[in-house]
Amino acid sequence: MKKKATITDIARALNITPSAVSKALNGHPRISKKTRDAVEAMAAKLNYRPNHLASGLRKGQSGLLGMLVPATEIKAYAAAINGAEAEAEAAGYNVIIAQSRDEYQKELKVFESMNRTQVEGLIVCMASTTTRFEHFDKWEKEGPPLVLFDRIFERGKRHMSVLDDYLASYVATEHLIEQGCTRLAHLSGPLHIPTYENRMRAFKDRLKRYGFEEKAEWMPTSALTIEDGRAFMEGCFERGEIPDGIFASSDYAAFGAMRVLQEKGLKVPEEVAMVGFGNEQFGAFIQPGLSTIDPESEAMGRLAARLLIQQIRMKSSEIPSYRRRILKPKLIVRESSRRNVHT
Amino acid sequence: MKKKATITDIARALNITPSAVSKALNGHPRISKKTRDAVEAMAAKLNYRPNHLASGLRKGQSGLLGMLVPATEIKAYAAAINGAEAEAEAAGYNVIIAQSRDEYQKELKVFESMNRTQVEGLIVCMASTTTRFEHFDKWEKEGPPLVLFDRIFERGKRHMSVLDDYLASYVATEHLIEQGCTRLAHLSGPLHIPTYENRMRAFKDRLKRYGFEEKAEWMPTSALTIEDGRAFMEGCFERGEIPDGIFASSDYAAFGAMRVLQEKGLKVPEEVAMVGFGNEQFGAFIQPGLSTIDPESEAMGRLAARLLIQQIRMKSSEIPSYRRRILKPKLIVRESSRRNVHT
DNA sequence: GTGAAAGCGCTAACAT
DNA sequence: ATGTTAGCGCTTTCAC
């Protein structure tokens, strides 16, 4: 591991000054083709690699973007990361990933650490347990640009890249109704997050439209995990009231509920039709295959990164109005909701 | 977004010098408790955040580790990333993740980019298509420390954190034999990667030990995906020879094979017992549940990071002998291989 | 078209 | 115990 070559080394070897080398390397216009070629040749020969720390310090930029997600195992977030990284790479940025595990305290720590690391921007999907937003306010006042994705909150508008959750829920609920379901349940996440609130609202709107009953016990708001799904379904059996259609805001919850149904001997989709959310990999593997909403997460991540990079490149003088990118969900129909009612 | 406070600002406000502030902030011993307290108070008041770029430039370190994996969706790699990040965070490092998509060319690019980004060390799981290793040689000659994990190669020894693949395969194969299987197949990856070679060797050793037949058609070496698994199984049906036990080096391949068996009406595990590899999430969700080898990936990632950080902190003068961490696999028995032969 | 000089924010001798 | 000084590698005016 020998010492690395610097522009000064190149300069010395060529009998010119570091500043000329810097200009040559950066395609500065006022530099002769001859020296530019010489510099490039020498750089290659010395195996020169620009030092990002030095140029970053000088230019006040780190070349780093931060991205905070609840967990990287969740398919939707993994895909969003891939999208954001692709976009970032194209723009010459690296991405630092952090996870909140859906814990507010961890989220705070990540904000701290991202701040220290001098990221030039932050992409955030907030933790489900986050109900205070001072850290966002503070960041926006003092820090570099920030873009929310997937989960958002409304306190003060912000840049965001999100799914059209109302539409997603509309489509999923309509689909269940088309399949002949009339006694519908919706497993939701916390309603203080507009993401889930929007889905719940669309769900209720559909029920109202068709004159179907709205049962509070069939609309739990903390039902995102397999265990939550199981618990919900077991509760239904205890109360002796089983819905004939379930739209869950998470594939995991849908799976948990489905397994209980199967254990109790009910048929999916014939007796209970199901639609999940998130297009997790396992949904295509289980039997019956789980119908689901594909949240277009890769595109969501890509757009979030693009939005962020736009902010960064913008002269900070002219603060732009808050921009949002809203993606269209895609319903994926598999066996768990297909009853072949009409042909 | 106002200007950030620097140590110079703190120094000015306190009428001392930047270097005193620096020392106070870094817990340097020869500084009075009084000034230390004053500095800390002022730092808090001015909302000071250390600039990593500056200190990094000065100290010649970036605080960044690189990690290259084939793909982040694979459970084993996601877990390894989590492990490595936990370890890195504890040591004050951030981790930059990159994916090769199992393509040699992408791997080369990532090496380039990691070099430019001034990472202080690199953790690598090579692409399955990588058969030339010059970039490793070059990195090791010129770059910061490097640790291999999961997949390794033998050309020149290197630091590594790996599973005991021979043992994993031994255990899986023994388990199938215990369940009464005698006509065994093994779906493998490319044998130029010792990871797969070791598994294949253990598999063959077991067959030999028990005097079972070794059929070339039952030991494909490019069988890691769902499609590969399907293709293998379909081939078996075409040839009219079906194994009664399959150990696959990937849960995906196992799943593909299993689905074909089920489509053809064969019972798993009664007619064909199956064990996969990787402990993918879906394995617990499908029916029958897929027995598998848990590669202890999180620990593997953690140990890789620990090994790397040790190298980094070591005086580069004393080059240490190459260290390896070898993890014990865990067999997870689910329904796909459980025949209740004894008991 | 190229050079000289200053400095980004921080740290580490060395001095006092 | 604190200050002085120098410089990490690079970029950027501003001269010439």
Side-chain angles (χ1 to χ4, degrees):
Chain A
M1 171 163 152
K2 60 182 176 191
K3 217 165 24 191
K4 284 166 194 152
T6 71
I7 55 169
T8 319
D9 297 329
I10 300 180
R12 236 195 318 266
L14 256 37
N15 250 325
I16 54 177
T17 68
S19 81
V21 176
S22 170
K23 283 167 192 157
L25 254 19
N26 292 304
H28 197 95
R30 283 211 299 274
I31 206 87
S32 71
K33 178 152 176 25
K34 208 169 89 183
T35 40
R36 188 194 313 286
D37 290 346
V39 165
E40 268 161 14
M42 185 55 71
K45 186 171 158 214
L46 296 180
N47 194 26
Y48 168 78
R49 296 277 170 272
N51 183 333
H52 269 194
L53 289 176
S55 70
L57 175 59
R58 181 61 234 246
K59 295 195 288 190
Q61 32 184 58
S62 63
L64 258 26
L65 304 183
M67 187 163 185
L68 171 58
V69 298
T72 57
E73 314 82 89
I74 311 268
K75 170 73 178 305
Y77 300 128
I81 290 171
N82 288 346
E85 271 184 339
E87 194 72 22
E89 192 196 339
Y93 285 94
N94 276 111
V95 182
I96 290 181
I97 309 298
Q99 309 182 53
S100 69
R101 297 272 151 223
D102 264 338
E103 293 168 28
Y104 170 63
Q105 288 299 336
K106 279 211 177 159
E107 182 169 302
L108 290 184
K109 280 196 179 171
V110 170
F111 268 63
E112 261 302 303
S113 134
M114 289 290 180
N115 190 347
R116 241 196 305 281
T117 314
Q118 315 283 126
V119 296
E120 290 182 52
L122 193 55
I123 299 173
V124 179
C125 172
M126 56 186 275
S128 63
T129 53
T130 295
T131 52
R132 310 183 52 187
F133 306 98
E134 288 89 353
H135 52 306
F136 287 95
D137 294 336
K138 193 175 161 213
W139 182 282
E140 196 158 69
K141 235 183 6 228
E142 311 180 343
L146 183 147
V147 172
L148 297 174
F149 85 99
D150 193 28
R151 294 180 188 158
I152 59 169
F153 55 93
E154 296 283 43
R155 291 203 351 141
K157 298 191 178 296
R158 289 184 162 78
H159 305 281
M160 51 184 67
S161 172
V162 290
L163 190 70
D164 186 337
D165 285 291
Y166 187 94
L167 179 62
S169 175
Y170 182 110
V171 167
T173 311
E174 273 293 320
H175 168 66
L176 286 171
I177 293 171
E178 268 173 23
Q179 301 299 307
C181 301
T182 58
R183 309 171 57 246
L184 291 159
H186 175 48
L187 310 194
S188 173
L191 297 183
H192 74 268
I193 301 178
T195 307
Y196 298 112
E197 200 274 325
N198 283 331
R199 296 182 197 167
M200 181 61 87
R201 197 153 35 79
F203 176 76
K204 288 185 175 173
D205 284 354
R206 287 296 90 198
L207 294 201
K208 214 164 284 160
R209 166 72 182 72
Y210 286 94
F212 296 155
E213 191 187 1
E214 209 178 86
K215 291 173 71 84
E217 315 88 75
W218 287 1
M219 299 184 292
T221 59
S222 174
L224 296 176
T225 68
I226 295 180
E227 276 316 308
D228 296 339
R230 290 195 67 95
F232 164 76
M233 210 61 241
E234 278 158 1
C236 289
F237 277 101
E238 274 166 28
R239 289 189 298 273
E241 292 198 313
I242 313 295
D244 64 358
I246 301 177
F247 168 43
S249 243
S250 136
D251 280 347
Y252 292 95
F255 176 76
M258 193 161 97
R259 274 293 181 264
V260 172
L261 286 167
Q262 293 175 322
E263 286 162 18
K264 302 278 187 184
L266 293 202
K267 289 257 179 263
V268 177
E270 292 81 354
E271 296 175 87
V272 185
M274 307 210 53
V275 177
F277 202 109
N279 199 15
E280 289 291 332
Q281 183 185 49
F282 69 81
F285 291 6
I286 61 177
Q287 284 175 324
L290 180 62
S291 295
T292 192
I293 295 285
D294 184 322
E296 299 287 330
S297 308
E298 183 162 348
M300 196 189 288
R302 201 194 326 278
L303 290 179
R306 196 174 299 170
L307 225 42
L308 189 68
I309 292 167
Q310 282 173 5
Q311 316 294 324
I312 294 172
R313 297 207 165 142
M314 226 165 263
K315 286 284 143 209
S316 63
S317 52
E318 193 50 47
I319 302 164
S321 60
Y322 293 107
R323 295 164 173 279
R324 27 182 90 199
R325 293 284 173 276
I326 301 181
L327 290 121
K328 294 289 168 232
K330 211 163 59 191
L331 174 68
I332 297 179
V333 178
R334 300 201 184 95
E335 299 81 49
S336 73
S337 70
R338 196 184 286 129
R339 284 174 165 174
N340 302 318
V341 274
H342 11 246
T343 60
Chain B
M1 175 164 151
K2 60 181 176 192
K3 216 165 21 187
K4 283 164 195 154
T6 72
I7 55 169
T8 320
D9 298 328
I10 301 181
R12 235 194 320 263
L14 258 37
N15 249 325
I16 55 176
T17 68
S19 84
V21 175
S22 171
K23 283 169 192 153
L25 253 20
N26 292 304
H28 198 95
R30 282 211 299 273
I31 207 86
S32 71
K33 176 149 176 28
K34 208 170 90 183
T35 41
R36 187 194 314 288
D37 290 346
V39 165
E40 269 162 12
M42 185 55 72
K45 186 171 159 212
L46 296 181
N47 194 26
Y48 168 78
R49 297 277 169 272
N51 183 332
H52 267 36
L53 289 175
S55 72
L57 174 59
R58 181 63 237 251
K59 297 194 287 190
Q61 29 183 64
S62 64
L64 258 26
L65 303 183
M67 186 164 188
L68 171 58
V69 299
T72 57
E73 314 81 89
I74 312 266
K75 170 74 179 305
Y77 300 128
I81 289 171
N82 288 346
E85 271 184 338
E87 195 72 22
E89 192 197 339
Y93 285 94
N94 277 110
V95 182
I96 290 180
I97 309 297
Q99 309 183 56
S100 69
R101 297 271 151 224
D102 264 337
E103 293 168 27
Y104 170 64
Q105 288 299 337
K106 279 212 176 156
E107 182 169 303
L108 290 185
K109 280 197 179 170
V110 170
F111 268 63
E112 261 302 306
S113 135
M114 289 288 180
N115 190 346
R116 240 195 306 281
T117 314
Q118 314 283 123
V119 295
E120 290 183 53
L122 193 55
I123 300 172
V124 179
C125 172
M126 58 187 273
S128 63
T129 53
T130 295
T131 53
R132 312 182 52 187
F133 305 99
E134 289 89 354
H135 52 306
F136 287 95
D137 294 335
K138 193 176 161 213
W139 183 282
E140 197 159 69
K141 239 186 358 232
E142 312 179 343
L146 183 147
V147 173
L148 297 174
F149 85 99
D150 193 29
R151 294 180 188 158
I152 59 170
F153 55 94
E154 296 282 43
R155 291 202 349 138
K157 297 190 179 297
R158 289 185 162 78
H159 305 283
M160 52 183 67
S161 171
V162 290
L163 190 70
D164 186 336
D165 284 290
Y166 187 94
L167 179 61
S169 176
Y170 182 111
V171 167
T173 310
E174 273 293 320
H175 167 67
L176 286 172
I177 292 171
E178 270 172 22
Q179 301 298 309
C181 302
T182 59
R183 310 170 57 247
L184 291 158
H186 175 48
L187 311 195
S188 173
L191 296 183
H192 74 268
I193 302 179
T195 308
Y196 298 112
E197 200 274 326
N198 283 331
R199 297 182 197 168
M200 180 61 86
R201 197 153 36 78
F203 176 76
K204 288 184 175 174
D205 284 355
R206 287 297 90 197
L207 295 201
K208 216 164 285 162
R209 167 71 182 72
Y210 286 94
F212 296 156
E213 192 187 0
E214 210 178 85
K215 292 173 70 84
E217 316 88 75
W218 287 0
M219 299 185 292
T221 60
S222 174
L224 296 176
T225 68
I226 295 180
E227 276 316 308
D228 295 339
R230 291 196 66 96
F232 164 76
M233 210 61 240
E234 278 158 2
C236 289
F237 277 101
E238 273 165 28
R239 289 188 298 273
E241 291 197 312
I242 314 296
D244 64 358
I246 301 176
F247 168 42
S249 243
S250 136
D251 281 347
Y252 292 95
F255 175 76
M258 193 161 99
R259 275 290 181 266
V260 172
L261 286 167
Q262 294 176 321
E263 286 162 18
K264 302 278 187 183
L266 292 202
K267 289 259 179 259
V268 177
E270 292 80 356
E271 296 175 88
V272 185
M274 308 211 52
V275 177
F277 203 110
N279 198 14
E280 290 291 333
Q281 183 185 47
F282 69 81
F285 291 6
I286 61 177
Q287 283 176 324
L290 180 62
S291 295
T292 191
I293 295 285
D294 184 322
E296 299 287 330
S297 308
E298 184 163 347
M300 195 189 287
R302 203 194 325 278
L303 289 179
R306 196 175 298 171
L307 225 42
L308 189 68
I309 292 167
Q310 282 173 7
Q311 316 293 324
I312 294 172
R313 298 211 164 139
M314 225 165 263
K315 286 284 141 207
S316 63
S317 53
E318 193 52 47
I319 302 162
S321 61
Y322 293 108
R323 294 163 174 277
R324 28 183 90 197
R325 294 284 173 275
I326 301 181
L327 289 121
K328 295 289 168 232
K330 211 163 58 192
L331 174 68
I332 297 179
V333 178
R334 300 203 183 96
E335 298 81 49
S336 73
S337 70
R338 196 185 286 129
R339 285 173 163 176
N340 301 318
V341 275
H342 13 245
T343 73

